[in-house]
Amino acid sequence: MDSGTLSVAVLISGTGSNLKAIIDAQKSGRLNVDIARVISNKADAGGLVFAREAGIPCSVIPSAGAPSREAHDAAISRCLDETDPDLVVLAGYMRILGGEMVARFRGKIINLHPSLLPKYPGLDTYRKALDAGDAEHGSSMHFVTEGLDDGPLISQAKIPVLPGDDPESLARRLGPVEHRLVVATVELFTRRKVEMSPDGVWVDGELSAGPMMLNEDDQLV
Protein backbone atom coordinates (compact mmCIF):
# COMPACT_ATOMS: atom_id res chain seq x y z
CA MET A 1 0.00 0.00 0.00
CA ASP A 2 1.14 3.55 -0.72
CA SER A 3 0.82 6.45 1.69
CA GLY A 4 -1.51 8.70 -0.32
CA THR A 5 -5.05 9.76 0.39
CA LEU A 6 -7.34 6.80 1.06
CA SER A 7 -10.30 6.53 -1.29
CA VAL A 8 -13.40 5.39 0.63
CA ALA A 9 -16.89 4.34 -0.37
CA VAL A 10 -19.55 4.24 2.35
CA LEU A 11 -22.72 2.13 2.23
CA ILE A 12 -25.67 3.27 4.34
CA SER A 13 -29.33 2.49 4.88
CA GLY A 14 -30.44 5.00 7.51
CA THR A 15 -29.60 8.17 9.39
CA GLY A 16 -25.94 8.22 8.36
CA SER A 17 -24.61 9.35 11.73
CA ASN A 18 -21.46 7.28 11.31
CA LEU A 19 -21.00 8.64 7.80
CA LYS A 20 -21.26 12.14 9.27
CA ALA A 21 -18.55 11.23 11.79
CA ILE A 22 -16.26 10.28 8.90
CA ILE A 23 -17.10 13.48 7.03
CA ASP A 24 -16.44 15.59 10.13
CA ALA A 25 -13.11 13.83 10.77
CA GLN A 26 -12.12 14.46 7.16
CA LYS A 27 -12.99 18.16 7.46
CA SER A 28 -11.07 18.49 10.73
CA GLY A 29 -7.97 16.99 9.14
CA ARG A 30 -7.90 13.84 11.24
CA LEU A 31 -8.74 11.53 8.34
CA ASN A 32 -6.75 11.73 5.12
CA VAL A 33 -9.58 10.33 3.02
CA ASP A 34 -11.45 11.05 -0.17
CA ILE A 35 -15.03 9.94 0.37
CA ALA A 36 -15.45 8.98 -3.24
CA ARG A 37 -19.06 7.82 -3.10
CA VAL A 38 -21.95 7.11 -0.76
CA ILE A 39 -24.27 4.29 -1.76
CA SER A 40 -27.67 3.71 -0.17
CA ASN A 41 -30.25 1.01 -0.72
CA LYS A 42 -32.96 3.47 0.39
CA ALA A 43 -33.79 6.70 -1.39
CA ASP A 44 -35.01 8.33 1.84
CA ALA A 45 -31.93 7.45 3.92
CA GLY A 46 -31.11 10.47 6.06
CA GLY A 47 -27.39 10.01 5.50
CA LEU A 48 -27.78 11.04 1.87
CA VAL A 49 -28.45 14.58 3.11
CA PHE A 50 -25.07 14.69 4.88
CA ALA A 51 -23.34 13.34 1.77
CA ARG A 52 -24.97 15.81 -0.61
CA GLU A 53 -24.29 18.75 1.71
CA ALA A 54 -20.62 17.71 1.68
CA GLY A 55 -20.59 17.46 -2.11
CA ILE A 56 -20.04 13.71 -2.10
CA PRO A 57 -21.35 11.76 -5.12
CA CYS A 58 -24.32 9.58 -4.14
CA SER A 59 -25.88 6.51 -5.69
CA VAL A 60 -29.24 5.10 -4.66
CA ILE A 61 -29.53 1.42 -5.57
CA PRO A 62 -32.89 0.32 -4.16
CA SER A 63 -33.07 -3.12 -2.62
CA ALA A 64 -36.86 -3.03 -2.54
CA GLY A 65 -38.13 -4.27 -5.86
CA ALA A 66 -34.79 -5.68 -7.01
CA PRO A 67 -35.34 -8.91 -8.96
CA SER A 68 -32.92 -10.77 -6.67
CA ARG A 69 -30.22 -10.22 -4.08
CA GLU A 70 -27.71 -11.22 -6.74
CA ALA A 71 -28.98 -8.54 -9.09
CA HIS A 72 -28.82 -5.93 -6.35
CA ASP A 73 -25.29 -6.99 -5.40
CA ALA A 74 -24.26 -6.82 -9.05
CA ALA A 75 -25.52 -3.24 -9.30
CA ILE A 76 -23.52 -2.26 -6.21
CA SER A 77 -20.45 -4.05 -7.57
CA ARG A 78 -20.67 -2.10 -10.83
CA CYS A 79 -20.90 1.15 -8.87
CA LEU A 80 -17.89 0.22 -6.76
CA ASP A 81 -15.92 -0.83 -9.83
CA GLU A 82 -16.54 2.62 -11.32
CA THR A 83 -15.54 4.30 -8.06
CA ASP A 84 -12.53 2.03 -7.41
CA PRO A 85 -12.19 2.76 -3.67
CA ASP A 86 -9.35 1.54 -1.49
CA LEU A 87 -11.84 0.77 1.29
CA VAL A 88 -15.59 0.10 1.50
CA VAL A 89 -17.21 0.91 4.86
CA LEU A 90 -20.59 -0.56 5.75
CA ALA A 91 -21.91 2.01 8.22
CA GLY A 92 -25.44 1.09 9.16
CA TYR A 93 -25.98 -0.79 5.92
CA MET A 94 -28.87 -3.13 6.63
CA ARG A 95 -28.38 -5.67 3.88
CA ILE A 96 -26.37 -8.89 3.81
CA LEU A 97 -23.93 -8.93 0.90
CA GLY A 98 -23.80 -12.10 -1.15
CA GLY A 99 -20.79 -14.37 -1.32
CA GLU A 100 -19.83 -13.43 -4.87
CA MET A 101 -19.64 -9.73 -4.04
CA VAL A 102 -17.78 -10.35 -0.79
CA ALA A 103 -15.23 -12.49 -2.62
CA ARG A 104 -14.83 -9.84 -5.31
CA PHE A 105 -13.87 -7.17 -2.77
CA ARG A 106 -12.29 -9.41 -0.13
CA GLY A 107 -10.07 -7.55 2.29
CA LYS A 108 -11.48 -4.17 1.24
CA ILE A 109 -14.90 -4.22 2.96
CA ILE A 110 -15.34 -3.53 6.68
CA ASN A 111 -18.53 -3.46 8.72
CA LEU A 112 -19.70 -1.79 11.93
CA HIS A 113 -21.79 -4.13 14.09
CA PRO A 114 -23.47 -3.14 17.40
CA SER A 115 -22.24 -5.96 19.62
CA LEU A 116 -19.02 -7.29 21.06
CA LEU A 117 -18.55 -9.98 18.45
CA PRO A 118 -18.50 -12.94 18.39
CA LYS A 119 -21.46 -12.31 20.71
CA TYR A 120 -24.79 -11.56 19.05
CA PRO A 121 -24.36 -11.50 15.29
CA GLY A 122 -27.41 -10.37 13.38
CA LEU A 123 -30.20 -8.14 14.66
CA ASP A 124 -31.60 -7.04 18.05
CA THR A 125 -28.21 -7.04 19.74
CA TYR A 126 -29.21 -4.64 22.53
CA ARG A 127 -32.09 -6.84 23.63
CA LYS A 128 -29.89 -9.93 23.46
CA ALA A 129 -27.26 -8.34 25.70
CA LEU A 130 -29.88 -7.26 28.23
CA ASP A 131 -31.60 -10.64 28.22
CA ALA A 132 -28.25 -12.32 28.86
CA GLY A 133 -27.54 -10.06 31.84
CA ASP A 134 -24.31 -8.74 30.31
CA ALA A 135 -22.37 -6.19 32.34
CA GLU A 136 -21.13 -4.46 29.20
CA HIS A 137 -22.09 -4.00 25.60
CA GLY A 138 -20.37 -2.40 22.65
CA SER A 139 -19.59 -2.33 18.95
CA SER A 140 -17.16 -4.10 16.67
CA MET A 141 -15.57 -3.39 13.33
CA HIS A 142 -14.62 -6.40 11.26
CA PHE A 143 -13.68 -7.45 7.77
CA VAL A 144 -16.66 -8.71 5.82
CA THR A 145 -16.62 -12.37 4.83
CA GLU A 146 -19.30 -14.73 3.57
CA GLY A 147 -20.64 -15.56 7.05
CA LEU A 148 -22.95 -13.28 9.02
CA ASP A 149 -20.87 -10.87 11.13
CA ASP A 150 -18.09 -13.45 11.51
CA GLY A 151 -15.20 -11.82 9.63
CA PRO A 152 -11.86 -11.16 11.37
CA LEU A 153 -12.21 -8.55 14.09
CA ILE A 154 -10.33 -5.27 13.75
CA SER A 155 -11.50 -3.15 16.67
CA GLN A 156 -14.05 -2.82 19.45
CA ALA A 157 -15.43 -0.27 21.88
CA LYS A 158 -17.28 -1.01 25.12
CA ILE A 159 -19.81 0.71 27.36
CA PRO A 160 -21.24 -0.51 30.69
CA VAL A 161 -24.79 -1.76 30.91
CA LEU A 162 -26.46 0.43 33.54
CA PRO A 163 -29.33 -0.43 35.91
CA GLY A 164 -32.59 0.36 34.19
CA ASP A 165 -31.14 0.21 30.69
CA ASP A 166 -33.44 -0.83 27.88
CA PRO A 167 -32.53 -1.37 24.21
CA GLU A 168 -33.25 2.25 23.37
CA SER A 169 -31.08 3.71 26.13
CA LEU A 170 -28.23 1.34 25.27
CA ALA A 171 -28.43 2.36 21.63
CA ARG A 172 -28.43 6.07 22.52
CA ARG A 173 -25.32 5.75 24.69
CA LEU A 174 -23.50 3.50 22.25
CA GLY A 175 -24.11 5.76 19.24
CA PRO A 176 -21.45 8.42 20.01
CA VAL A 177 -18.97 5.68 20.92
CA GLU A 178 -19.60 4.00 17.56
CA HIS A 179 -18.80 7.27 15.79
CA ARG A 180 -15.43 7.42 17.56
CA LEU A 181 -14.77 3.75 16.77
CA VAL A 182 -15.51 4.16 13.06
CA VAL A 183 -13.20 7.16 12.76
CA ALA A 184 -10.36 5.51 14.67
CA THR A 185 -10.67 2.36 12.58
CA VAL A 186 -10.72 4.19 9.25
CA GLU A 187 -7.69 6.12 10.50
CA LEU A 188 -5.80 2.82 10.78
CA PHE A 189 -6.46 2.22 7.10
CA THR A 190 -5.35 5.75 6.14
CA ARG A 191 -2.02 4.93 7.74
CA ARG A 192 -1.89 1.60 5.87
CA LYS A 193 -1.54 -0.18 9.20
CA VAL A 194 -4.13 -2.94 8.93
CA GLU A 195 -4.93 -5.72 6.48
CA MET A 196 -6.63 -9.09 6.33
CA SER A 197 -4.85 -12.32 5.51
CA PRO A 198 -5.75 -16.01 5.78
CA ASP A 199 -4.15 -15.89 9.25
CA GLY A 200 -6.33 -13.06 10.54
CA VAL A 201 -5.79 -9.31 10.96
CA TRP A 202 -2.31 -7.83 10.69
CA VAL A 203 -1.58 -4.48 12.35
CA ASP A 204 1.79 -2.74 11.92
CA GLY A 205 3.20 -5.87 10.35
CA GLU A 206 2.24 -8.11 13.26
CA LEU A 207 -0.58 -10.63 13.53
CA SER A 208 -3.16 -9.25 15.98
CA ALA A 209 -3.99 -11.45 18.96
CA GLY A 210 -7.45 -9.88 19.20
CA PRO A 211 -9.39 -6.74 18.33
CA MET A 212 -7.81 -3.40 19.16
CA MET A 213 -9.76 -1.50 21.82
CA LEU A 214 -10.82 2.13 21.70
CA ASN A 215 -9.46 4.14 24.62
CA GLU A 216 -10.64 7.43 26.13
CA ASP A 217 -8.31 9.36 23.81
CA ASP A 218 -10.10 7.92 20.76
CA GLN A 219 -7.09 5.79 19.91
CA LEU A 220 -7.00 2.06 19.23
CA VAL A 221 -4.62 0.13 21.42
Side-chain angles (χ1 to χ4, degrees):
M1 291 183 174
D2 62 39
S3 57
T5 300
L6 188 79
S7 174
V8 177
V10 183
L11 273 62
I12 63 171
S13 294
T15 62
S17 61
N18 287 293
L19 166 64
K20 186 176 186 302
I22 296 172
I23 293 171
D24 289 347
Q26 177 198 41
K27 289 180 177 179
S28 73
R30 177 173 179 180
L31 290 182
N32 181 22
V33 297
D34 170 26
I35 307 172
R37 184 162 298 274
V38 170
I39 301 173
S40 175
N41 67 314
K42 295 184 177 181
D44 60 351
L48 292 171
V49 175
F50 297 135
R52 288 165 179 153
E53 287 177 347
I56 300 167
C58 298
S59 295
V60 176
I61 304 176
S63 51
S68 67
R69 186 178 75 175
E70 291 75 16
H72 186 252
D73 283 355
I76 295 174
S77 293
R78 287 193 295 271
C79 188
L80 290 176
D81 283 338
E82 294 170 1
T83 305
D84 193 26
D86 300 310
L87 183 68
V88 179
V89 182
L90 308 186
Y93 186 67
M94 303 302 291
R95 292 272 299 176
I96 297 174
L97 300 178
E100 183 175 339
M101 181 177 174
V102 169
R104 183 183 182 93
F105 297 98
R106 183 176 298 277
K108 294 178 63 174
I109 307 179
I110 63 174
N111 179 53
L112 173 70
H113 180 72
S115 82
L116 296 173
L117 293 171
K119 284 186 171 183
Y120 318 132
L123 302 175
D124 205 18
T125 61
Y126 306 103
R127 172 61 62 191
K128 290 173 182 175
L130 290 169
D131 288 348
D134 291 350
E136 58 187 9
H137 191 53
S139 287
S140 305
M141 294 210 71
H142 64 94
F143 283 102
V144 175
T145 56
E146 287 81 356
L148 177 63
D149 298 324
D150 73 347
L153 290 171
I154 304 165
S155 58
Q156 290 184 329
K158 298 179 179 180
I159 62 171
V161 176
L162 302 178
D165 261 333
D166 58 24
E168 290 73 24
S169 64
L170 263 183
R172 281 195 301 271
R173 288 195 293 110
L174 186 58
V177 178
E178 286 186 331
H179 304 162
R180 294 163 48 208
L181 179 65
V182 168
V183 169
T185 305
V186 172
E187 186 176 33
L188 281 181
F189 284 86
T190 67
R191 297 176 179 177
R192 274 48 176 187
K193 287 191 171 187
V194 58
E195 60 184 328
M196 186 179 80
S197 81
D199 301 319
V201 176
W202 290 75
V203 180
D204 282 339
E206 296 184 359
L207 183 63
S208 178
M212 303 182 73
M213 303 304 299
L214 186 74
N215 67 16
E216 293 182 355
D217 297 321
D218 292 347
Q219 301 298 316
L220 292 171
V221 295

